[in-house]
């Protein structure tokens, strides 16, 4: 089988000879997406949610950083603390969005486990909720990941709090995609075990947190890392993969974003200026000397970039993880661009388990 990407091919190999989207990724229920700031983490999380919802599926796209990045991408009003449909997926299916707020999550926990509904609202007015999450910073991450876990476990017929109202055990969502914190913080965010060591030792929140730990360290969860073919993003990606492995959190795919086409060989001698000029003139293009100098400078820069990309790609290949490639969109990322990226992910085999 060729190592080159073939549109529409499921199971195609990446540059490192690894299947781009193996069954272990297809069968996961929670897809955590992280990446160095500026690599396009939120954009690719959204595209992944669209791709996984294709062909009649339903996915939930969750953010936890309070930036309302999902609403901006899908050109919708700011998301409330409630799941709502934000897009129709290719060939049927839908994507819902949710912006998780730690304060709202804590109030939901208090109401769910301690029946403190009105009293909990009073605590918020007094500032006690913010005080609690500030006093115990790990509590905020426990609340955020706990809400994500509740969404993954939701079944058809469940109400918002997760109490079953029917006998169905069919999952409400085929997949949940979490737009997680950047790589520098993601392992700490996901390592709820350490956070719980200094927080609740007994009680419902402790029990719920143990369920979060079980989910995050199970085959149901994979952590995808968004990168670019540049030194710093690739090094941070490799460091993050090592940290995830050490924390027993399952790495998923490396999503290489903004890949630009190679228009020249990466290696080669100096460009034959005379031959280039003759070829351009044969095509009807007559350049002044300064224009030719600019063109030659661009050729040299392009080759230098290709050489750098070739080196960092080799380092990514050595990590032995599946790789997905997304191009740099000439017109930027709008709603149409998201669907284009989702389709490219599907061409590389991205799918949900059946």
């Amino acid at each position: 089988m060729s190592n080159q990407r073939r549109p529409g091919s499921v199971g195609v190999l990446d540059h490192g000879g690894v299947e781009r989207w193996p069954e272990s990724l297809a069968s996961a229920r929670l897809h955590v997406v992280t990446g160095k700031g500026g690599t396009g983490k939120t954009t690719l999380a959204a595209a992944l949610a669209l791709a996984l919802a294709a062909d009649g599926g339903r996915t939930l796209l969750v953010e936890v950083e309070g930036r309302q990045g999902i609403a901006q991408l899908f050109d919708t009003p700011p998301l409330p603390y409630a799941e709502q449909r934000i897009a129709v997926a290719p060939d049927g299916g839908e994507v819902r969005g949710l912006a998780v707020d730690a304060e709202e999550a804590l109030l939901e926990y208090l109401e769910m486990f301690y029946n403190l509904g009105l009293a909990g609202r009073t605590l918020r007015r007094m500032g006690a909720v913010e005080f609690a999450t500030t006093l115990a910073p790990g509590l905020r991450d426990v609340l955020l990941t706990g809400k994500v876990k509740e969404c993954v476990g939701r079944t058809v017929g469940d109400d918002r709090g997760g109490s079953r109202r029917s006998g169905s055990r069919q999952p409400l969502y085929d997949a949940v995609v979490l737009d997680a914190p950047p790589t520098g913080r993601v392992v700490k965010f996901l390592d709820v075990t350490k956070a719980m060591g200094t927080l609740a030792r007994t009680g419902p929140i402790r029990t719920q947190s143990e369920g979060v730990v079980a989910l995050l360290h199970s085959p149901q969860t994979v952590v995808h890392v968004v990168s670019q073919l540049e030194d710093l993003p690739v090094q941070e990606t490799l460091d993050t993969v090592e940290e995830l492995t050490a924390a027993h959190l399952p790495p998923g795919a490396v999503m290489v974003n903004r890949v630009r086409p190679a228009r020249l060989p990466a290696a080669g001698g100096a460009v034959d200026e005379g031959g280039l000029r003759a070829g351009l003139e044969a095509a009807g293009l007559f350049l002044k000397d300064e224009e030719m100098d600019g063109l030659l400078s661009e050729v040299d820069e392009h080759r230098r970039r290709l050489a750098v990309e070739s080196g960092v790609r080799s380092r990514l290949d050595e990590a032995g993880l599946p790789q997905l490639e997304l191009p740099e969109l000439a017109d930027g990322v709008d709603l149409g661009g998201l669907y284009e990226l989702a389709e490219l992910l599907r061409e590389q085999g991205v799918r949900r388990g059946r």
Side-chain angles (χ1 to χ4, degrees), residues 276-313:
L276 177 60
R277 185 183 291 274
L280 290 172
E281 290 178 354
L285 297 173
F286 298 87
L287 301 185
K288 298 177 181 178
D289 288 345
E290 59 269 22
E291 292 173 332
M292 178 61 71
D293 290 342
L295 178 59
L296 292 172
S297 177
E298 289 185 16
V299 169
D300 288 340
E301 174 60 29
H302 184 70
R303 280 186 166 172
R304 283 194 294 269
R305 176 176 65 80
L306 290 178
V308 170
E309 290 182 355
S310 176
V312 296
R313 190 188 292 278

Side-chain angles (χ1 to χ4, degrees), residues 7 21 25 40 45 56 60 67 77 93 104 120 122 124 130 143 162 203 219-220 233 260 274 301-302 312 324 328 330:
W21 194 257
L25 302 187
L60 177 66
R67 297 186 297 107
E104 291 289 348
T122 303
R124 178 166 64 176
E130 182 178 357
L143 294 169
Q220 292 190 73
R260 292 171 289 184
E301 174 60 29
H302 184 70
V312 296
L324 302 165
E328 184 173 40

Side-chain angles (χ1 to χ4, degrees), residues 190-209:
L190 295 174
D191 199 356
V192 180
T193 308
K194 291 183 180 178
M196 285 310 302
T198 57
L199 296 173
R201 298 186 182 277
T202 60
I205 292 184
R206 175 73 185 197
T207 301
Q208 173 77 352
S209 299

